[in-house]
Amino acid sequence: MQTILSNEWQEKLLKRFLKYISFHSTSKPGIDTIPSTERQWNIAKYLYEELKNIGVEDVSIDKNGYVMGNIPSNKDKSIPTVGFIAHYDTSPDFSGENVKPKIWENYDGSDLLLNSETNFILKVSEFPELKNHIGETLITTDGTTLLGSDDKSGVAEIVTAAEYLISHPEIKHGKIAIGFTPDEEVGKGADLFDVKKFNADWAYTMDGGEVGELEFENFNAGVATISIIGKSVHPGSAKGKMINAALLAVEFSNQMPHKETPSTTEGYEGFYHLTHISGSVEKAKLQYIIRDHDFKKYENRKAFMIETAEKLNKKYGEGVFHIEITDQYFNMKKQIENKMFIIDIAEKAMEKAKIKANIKAIRGGTDGARLSYMGLPCPNIFAGGLNFHGPYEFVPLESMIKATEVILNIAESIE
Ligand SMILES: [Zn+2]
């Protein structure tokens, strides 16, 4: 059976989304506690109460703000438990306070004046993806904040699908696990996620963009710190004695492949990205992030950096260069490739909702990647929003409807 959300349910979804974006729940980087901001508790507690009110079972909220619950199976036989996960924090890149959404019904394909006071315009020439949503209902910002569709769209879709399943017992499904996390935007959404308590065989994060997105590949990622110890001598009598750490930092960076940087790569091409450089004659420091989808190439990149430091140590003396490399996260693909049925199920659920799946590799990481390595295989599905993390963010209501239908189709298809 193919579920199509009626107007009543579409309205519930919209109302729910508008409620969620009214919460200021921006997370903050560099904070040791989870959640990183007190304000995230407001939406966390709201979601906790809401899940209970709509009849989700075993609803819990832990001391770090992770909200979980489940809908029991209504089938006779035992079938796998599938989970759906979204994050309720919004990006610290732009203000998420006092979001004043604008709703544009039957979008006509023209530029949208989001704010007449500041003349803030969402232009088709800059954001041609607008053209894919003509005739739809767009939800935009007023140009002063981000929207928070990332990832409150995902939260609204999951809660609406849950409520739908509970009020339609004729739809047969296995146990459905639901999880909402804080601090995804500061890279910590998976940190304290209790995979054991969640107790799903696999899950999907509803945290992608455009309709059809389905992702199970991401970068392998590491960070390299190169410290350089120089030797300061009076420049007038420095011949053969001075070691200028700042110059050596430049020499090191020159040895890195010039065409393997973020601005010169795309698709499956990896890179070295110099994120920080500082230095004087006495000491210097370089910081890189290393990225590659291919694990072997990723390891080769790390080895190349170490070799370069060793080579320069031979030239300038032992201990001048010190390199430290830490892995950050790994490509989810390794955890999924022997369970490709998880992807097939999502693809078929999209087909049923008349969507063509667009499988692509993420040039970044996801909480799902981290969860996959914690024992919960977790690809990512579109939630519908676009232009995340800034005032141009918008979401078509129709995309959220489709995402909700995909959740329902997945729930129904697992046997
Ligand atoms: Zn997100």
Side-chain angles (χ1 to χ4, degrees):
M1 204 179 75
Q2 184 205 341
T3 304
I4 296 172
L5 289 193
S6 64
N7 284 342
E8 180 202 346
W9 283 92
Q10 297 185 6
E11 246 157 66
K12 271 184 198 246
L13 176 63
L14 175 61
K15 250 180 86 182
R16 194 161 262 146
F17 174 69
L18 295 176
K19 176 71 191 175
Y20 297 164
I21 61 174
S22 74
F23 287 96
H24 179 203
S25 61
T26 311
S27 49
K28 194 173 173 181
I31 304 289
D32 284 335
T33 51
I34 296 176
S36 60
T37 50
E38 266 310 296
R39 55 184 168 249
Q40 288 182 70
W41 280 111
N42 297 331
I43 186 166
K45 285 177 186 159
Y46 181 87
L47 291 170
Y48 168 72
E49 292 299 335
E50 188 183 23
L51 287 184
K52 283 199 295 189
N53 288 339
I54 64 171
V56 172
E57 297 198 5
D58 299 328
V59 182
S60 66
I61 181 166
D62 70 13
K63 65 181 199 306
N64 299 105
Y66 290 77
V67 179
M68 289 186 184
N70 68 70
I71 308 168
S73 170
N74 59 7
K75 283 198 181 185
D76 308 329
K77 57 175 185 178
S78 147
I79 56 171
T81 299
V82 63
F84 295 94
I85 297 169
H87 64 92
Y88 56 70
D89 66 313
T90 63
S91 168
D93 290 354
F94 208 77
S95 170
E97 187 173 13
N98 200 5
V99 173
K100 293 184 285 293
K102 297 209 153 176
I103 299 177
W104 310 77
E105 281 176 23
N106 198 6
Y107 171 58
D108 64 3
S110 61
D111 292 350
L112 295 175
L113 178 61
L114 301 189
N115 194 315
S116 49
E117 269 167 53
T118 57
N119 202 31
F120 196 90
I121 303 169
L122 183 59
K123 288 187 182 140
V124 178
S125 57
E126 287 172 48
F127 302 101
E129 58 271 34
L130 278 162
K131 286 273 185 205
N132 300 330
H133 298 282
I134 292 173
E136 299 182 1
T137 298
L138 304 193
I139 307 156
T140 69
T141 71
D142 71 344
T144 63
T145 64
L146 52 65
L147 182 64
S149 170
D150 176 13
D151 183 27
K152 289 165 181 172
S153 289
V155 180
E157 291 150 10
I158 294 170
V159 177
T160 304
E163 189 184 10
Y164 193 92
L165 286 177
I166 291 165
S167 46
H168 289 81
E170 72 279 9
I171 300 179
K172 298 297 172 201
H173 59 81
K175 187 174 161 188
I176 310 291
I178 294 166
F180 299 128
T181 82
D183 284 347
E184 190 272 351
E185 297 290 359
V186 290
K188 291 182 168 183
D191 277 25
L192 299 177
F193 190 96
D194 191 339
V195 168
K196 221 174 133 194
K197 177 175 151 192
F198 193 62
N199 199 17
D201 293 277
W202 73 89
Y204 302 93
T205 48
M206 300 300 298
D207 193 20
E210 185 62 278
V211 171
E213 273 181 20
L214 173 56
E215 299 156 327
F216 66 95
E217 290 180 80
N218 58 280
F219 278 143
N220 295 292
V223 58
T225 307
I226 299 108
S227 317
I228 305 154
I229 311 283
K231 194 190 274 176
S232 186
V233 178
H234 187 281
S237 53
K239 191 169 183 186
K241 295 185 192 122
M242 180 194 276
I243 299 174
N244 186 342
L247 267 181
L248 298 197
V250 173
E251 187 170 345
F252 184 96
S253 84
N254 276 334
Q255 312 251 332
M256 294 298 113
H258 293 185
K259 288 198 171 135
E260 296 176 21
T261 67
S263 61
T264 52
T265 50
E266 61 183 358
Y268 284 101
E269 295 165 339
F271 57 73
Y272 305 87
H273 176 32
L274 178 60
T275 53
H276 175 89
I277 178 165
S278 64
S280 61
V281 175
E282 265 171 85
K283 57 180 184 192
K285 198 170 138 182
L286 297 163
Q287 199 149 43
Y288 284 85
I289 59 171
I290 311 159
R291 299 289 187 263
D292 213 302
H293 290 99
D294 185 287
F295 186 71
K296 225 178 139 205
K297 285 187 189 162
Y298 169 68
E299 288 294 318
N300 288 343
R301 286 180 190 282
K302 294 196 314 192
F304 178 70
M305 295 192 91
I306 293 168
E307 278 162 29
T308 304
E310 281 169 357
K311 200 177 80 190
L312 290 168
N313 267 344
K314 285 213 175 83
K315 188 169 167 190
Y316 293 105
E318 224 28 71
V320 171
F321 281 81
H322 177 80
I323 180 163
E324 207 176 283
I325 302 181
T326 321
D327 294 317
Q328 294 172 293
Y329 54 84
F330 297 108
N331 190 346
M332 183 195 323
K333 187 182 178 186
K334 210 171 160 190
Q335 303 297 322
I336 306 279
E337 59 194 355
N338 56 351
K339 303 184 185 80
M340 282 303 283
F341 67 91
I342 297 174
I343 303 303
D344 296 342
I345 285 170
E347 229 182 319
K348 287 210 181 86
M350 288 190 197
E351 242 168 64
K352 238 167 111 182
K354 310 243 177 321
I355 301 163
K356 200 180 151 19
N358 172 20
I359 298 179
K360 56 171 203 179
I362 306 171
R363 287 180 66 78
T366 76
D367 272 0
R370 304 256 320 281
L371 292 171
S372 297
Y373 280 85
M374 287 158 71
L376 180 68
C378 197
N380 188 37
I381 290 178
F382 72 91
L386 295 157
N387 305 331
F388 289 163
H389 299 189
Y392 295 102
E393 188 183 5
F394 72 93
V395 62
L397 175 60
E398 283 73 6
S399 301
M400 289 204 288
I401 294 167
K402 284 290 180 197
T404 309
E405 291 174 358
V406 168
I407 296 171
L408 294 169
N409 290 344
I410 289 175
E412 205 185 359
S413 70
I414 292 163
E415 347 218 83

